[in-house]
Amino acid sequence: MRSPSIYSQDDPLAQALKPPPTETDTERDARLQREAEAKRISEQIDEDLRDERERMKRKKGDVKLLLLGQAESGKSTLQKQFQLMYKPNSLDQERASWKTVIYFNVVHSLKHILSTLEAWDDQLDDEPSSPEDNPSSGNNRGNGIADEPSPSSSLQNGGTSGSASTSGSAEASGSHLPHPLGSSTTNDGAMQIANLRRRLSPLIAADAQLADRLSGGITVSGSGKGGVYVRSGWQARTIENALGKIKSRRQSNDIEKKARESISHDAIHDVLVQDVGRMLEVSEQDIKELWSHPTVKGLMARRKLKLDEWSEFFLRHITRVAASDYIPTTDDILHARIQTMGVAEHIFDVNIHGKAVTWHLFDVGGARGQRHSWVPYFDDANAIIFVAPVSAFDQYLEEDPRTNRIDDSLQLFTQICSNALLKSVHLVLFLNKTDLLKSKLAAGLKVRKYITSFGERSNDYETVVQYFRAHFLQVHRRNNENRRVLYTHFTSVVDTKTTQRIIGNVRDSIFRGYLQSAALV
């Protein structure tokens, strides 16, 4: 007796597809197998569609938050604060990989110091600063704050156009410092530095190896000053590279899982990192001597040697960092610097008034060449935190040394405020690095030397920070057809207690705006 077909005998189509009476048993078995497989595939497609509808339904309740701003504005540090607040165990699981970053930060800073010293023949002189550091130089264009910067037509073009720069200097205020050393002492100082360079050379040689460990050997065009760019998931890949087990995706997943589960610092034995740690321990006194050397301090005072905040942080704490049993603290991780390439998604379950809401936080690369990658994430964003470093009034873009970083932030903020896709998105402004702004003002740097429109205003913190805030508010007012509120916060995102209180306020304001946009209140 023949087995019945899956097609109904009452169906006209089934009648049309009815097998011929001459069908053999072998042909019938093959046909039934084909029909069973077609039915299985159809049912699988139906199940996948149901799952997708359910996933989309759940995702409608999620919050998509973008962290935007120029490179080195503090976005990644802010992301770490979210991680510390809502997923603290994950930061512990990454601790071993951050040791590699911190060692790289220290070694790269030492390399930069020694390179700068070499450019100045390891000594101070009484010659004036170079033309690009001279406020009277005509090489720079008009100041963007004074001239009201205009945005480019689209972020998709890969950054801003028509950038203006301040007619400022990179030289501290006040008269030229007197030469601290006599001729004989100067020669002695140069000889001391030459000896330190020789003794530190094995440690400096590890710079390229540490960079390769972090980046996986991938270099990025225009990274500037030998910077290292990493992609999302670099923490696990750093450990994976150290273990030398990049053979298959399955192995990669197993190692990544092991990295996530391994909280103990000693669980990962990275020969390179161990060697650098030993060299740091041996070189601790030499590093201290170089960091405190009068020539180094003199070049820093004259702003011929410029160090980032993370460089100074780790060099000040070199005794602890160089210890044989060193384990990065949370404060160390917050200060550690590594440049983000592309867009990294971080998912947190945030409890808001008893309701668990999944937040998708996107940390994006802020360099000019990477800004075009932001646009696809604008479509369904619920909120944006724009991070602008107000301490950067005396700094210029690595990609364009003519453009003041405050100008660049204002131009970028103009583009965000005027973008049609973002007209209804909840907008939060972090005027960041206020601690560094206070330090620079206390050291005597005059804002008017870099921001000509600042004029003769008082050079105190409150006046300066409110001056910058007013310009960002003005940009927002000019591009606010939907009359949305701009929430502004003065921040130092390395300050955990204060930043987490602000994150709590931002969370509540975003949630209120999210409910209103969903017509739930």
Side-chain angles (χ1 to χ4, degrees):
M1 180 177 176
R2 291 176 181 271
S3 301
S5 169
I6 63 170
Y7 299 109
S8 168
Q9 300 303 310
D10 299 328
D11 185 356
L13 181 60
Q15 290 294 329
L17 296 175
K18 189 176 179 179
T22 58
E23 182 182 48
T24 66
D25 289 343
T26 302
E27 289 171 340
R28 183 188 68 245
D29 290 342
R31 172 177 55 80
L32 293 177
Q33 287 179 4
R34 289 195 301 272
E35 292 173 352
E37 177 64 13
K39 183 179 179 182
R40 186 194 67 78
I41 292 173
S42 177
E43 290 174 346
Q44 182 63 52
I45 291 172
D46 289 341
E47 184 179 348
D48 290 345
L49 289 172
R50 283 193 299 270
D51 290 345
E52 180 66 14
R53 282 194 296 268
E54 186 63 28
R55 188 184 66 82
M56 293 301 294
K57 184 179 177 181
R58 287 196 306 268
K59 198 167 182 180
K60 282 184 179 178
D62 292 358
V63 171
K64 183 176 177 181
L65 172 63
L66 308 182
L67 299 184
L68 303 181
Q70 64 184 203
E72 298 186 40
S73 59
K75 299 185 302 297
S76 295
T77 306
L78 181 57
Q79 174 268 310
K80 294 176 203 171
Q81 290 287 13
F82 271 92
Q83 189 176 353
L84 188 60
M85 191 167 181
Y86 295 115
K87 213 172 183 179
N89 289 341
S90 63
L91 207 61
D92 285 332
Q93 292 162 4
E94 296 173 0
R95 213 168 282 276
S97 56
W98 281 106
K99 186 173 182 178
T100 311
V101 177
I102 291 163
Y103 281 179
F104 173 71
N105 286 171
V106 171
V107 173
H108 201 66
S109 300
L110 293 172
K111 182 179 178 181
H112 175 55
I113 290 171
L114 290 170
S115 297
T116 304
L117 286 168
E118 187 174 18
W120 292 97
D121 296 326
D122 293 341
Q123 58 188 334
L124 292 170
D125 57 40
D126 289 321
E127 292 184 9
S129 301
S130 56
E132 62 268 22
D133 288 344
N134 191 334
S136 63
S137 169
N139 292 340
N140 294 325
R141 288 170 282 170
N143 174 254
I145 289 185
D147 298 342
E148 296 300 337
S150 58
S152 65
S153 58
S154 170
L155 280 171
Q156 298 184 60
N157 293 330
T160 58
S161 63
S163 300
S165 130
T166 60
S167 58
S169 75
E171 183 178 354
S173 62
S175 58
H176 198 66
L177 295 174
H179 201 300
L181 304 169
S183 176
S184 174
T185 312
T186 300
N187 292 335
D188 290 344
M191 187 171 294
Q192 290 168 3
I193 291 172
N195 288 332
L196 289 171
R197 180 181 287 105
R198 177 178 51 80
R199 293 200 296 267
L200 290 171
S201 59
L203 179 61
I204 302 303
D207 177 76
Q209 293 173 283
L210 289 168
D212 284 345
R213 170 74 83 247
L214 292 167
S215 67
I218 299 172
T219 58
V220 177
S221 176
S223 57
K225 295 185 180 178
V228 171
Y229 281 90
V230 295
R231 293 185 182 274
S232 177
W234 65 268
Q235 295 93 334
R237 284 196 299 273
T238 298
I239 295 170
E240 179 181 309
N241 293 344
L243 296 176
K245 294 182 180 179
I246 312 176
K247 293 182 180 178
S248 70
R249 186 63 197 163
R250 183 174 180 181
Q251 281 183 317
S252 177
N253 290 338
D254 289 342
I255 296 169
E256 188 170 340
K257 182 178 179 182
K258 180 181 177 182
R260 288 196 303 268
E261 292 174 350
S262 176
I263 296 177
S264 169
H265 167 75
D266 295 323
I268 303 298
H269 301 289
D270 184 337
V271 174
L272 172 62
V273 173
Q274 289 176 343
D275 286 346
V276 174
R278 281 191 288 268
M279 286 191 285
L280 279 171
E281 187 178 12
V282 170
S283 304
E284 179 194 341
Q285 291 304 318
D286 289 334
I287 296 171
K288 285 182 175 179
E289 185 178 341
L290 178 67
W291 177 237
S292 61
H293 197 279
T295 303
V296 172
K297 295 302 181 186
L299 288 174
M300 289 179 66
R302 299 183 188 188
R303 297 181 62 73
K304 293 175 179 177
L305 169 61
K306 301 172 188 176
L307 295 176
D308 295 296
E309 57 268 19
W310 47 264
S311 297
E312 298 193 32
F313 176 84
F314 290 118
L315 290 173
R316 286 198 306 269
H317 293 87
I318 193 62
T319 298
R320 182 170 55 79
V321 172
S324 58
D325 58 350
Y326 172 65
I327 298 175
T329 66
T330 298
D331 202 32
D332 291 342
I333 294 173
L334 291 173
H335 281 85
R337 170 64 180 156
I338 191 164
Q339 292 172 288
T340 308
M341 180 170 64
V343 179
E345 180 181 7
H346 305 269
I347 301 175
F348 307 106
D349 290 324
V350 179
N351 190 291
I352 305 177
H353 307 304
K355 177 179 173 62
V357 179
T358 301
W359 283 38
H360 301 259
L361 185 150
F362 294 87
D363 177 19
V364 303
R368 275 189 173 181
Q370 299 185 56
R371 294 174 188 174
H372 64 281
S373 65
W374 300 3
V375 178
Y377 295 85
F378 289 174
D379 224 3
D380 55 348
N382 301 111
I384 288 172
I385 297 179
F386 187 89
V387 186
V390 289
S391 65
F393 67 87
D394 62 331
Q395 295 172 277
Y396 299 83
L397 294 182
E398 284 191 9
E399 308 95 315
D400 181 4
R402 301 168 300 171
T403 300
N404 184 278
R405 287 188 59 194
I406 293 285
D407 278 347
D408 182 63
S409 270
L410 278 167
Q411 293 179 39
L412 189 52
F413 190 61
T414 303
Q415 294 177 344
I416 297 303
C417 290
S418 61
N419 191 291
L421 294 174
L422 304 174
K423 287 295 184 181
S424 300
V425 172
H426 186 91
L427 190 58
V428 181
L429 173 65
F430 276 23
L431 297 174
N432 192 36
K433 301 194 178 184
T434 54
D435 56 329
L436 298 177
L437 175 63
K438 291 175 182 177
S439 297
K440 287 183 177 182
L441 297 177
L445 267 71
K446 302 295 183 183
V447 175
R448 67 173 177 267
K449 284 201 168 191
Y450 308 92
I451 308 291
T452 55
S453 62
F454 189 74
E456 296 303 316
R457 292 174 177 84
S458 175
N459 205 62
D460 62 275
Y461 168 77
E462 193 62 31
T463 302
V464 171
V465 81
Q466 290 299 336
Y467 173 79
F468 291 143
R469 178 176 180 268
H471 281 280
F472 281 96
L473 291 179
Q474 186 178 52
V475 166
H476 179 255
R477 280 195 301 271
R478 290 180 175 180
N479 299 277
N480 192 25
E481 294 90 345
N482 291 1
R483 307 177 74 86
R484 65 178 166 188
V485 177
L486 174 64
Y487 297 85
T488 307
H489 299 273
F490 298 114
T491 60
S492 170
V493 293
V494 293
D495 181 340
T496 297
K497 185 176 180 180
T498 303
T499 300
Q500 294 199 355
R501 176 179 55 78
I502 293 172
I503 287 175
N505 294 336
V506 169
R507 174 201 63 201
D508 291 343
S509 68
I510 289 175
F511 190 61
R512 284 194 301 271
Y514 170 69
L515 291 178
Q516 289 168 355
S517 66
L520 296 178
V521 298

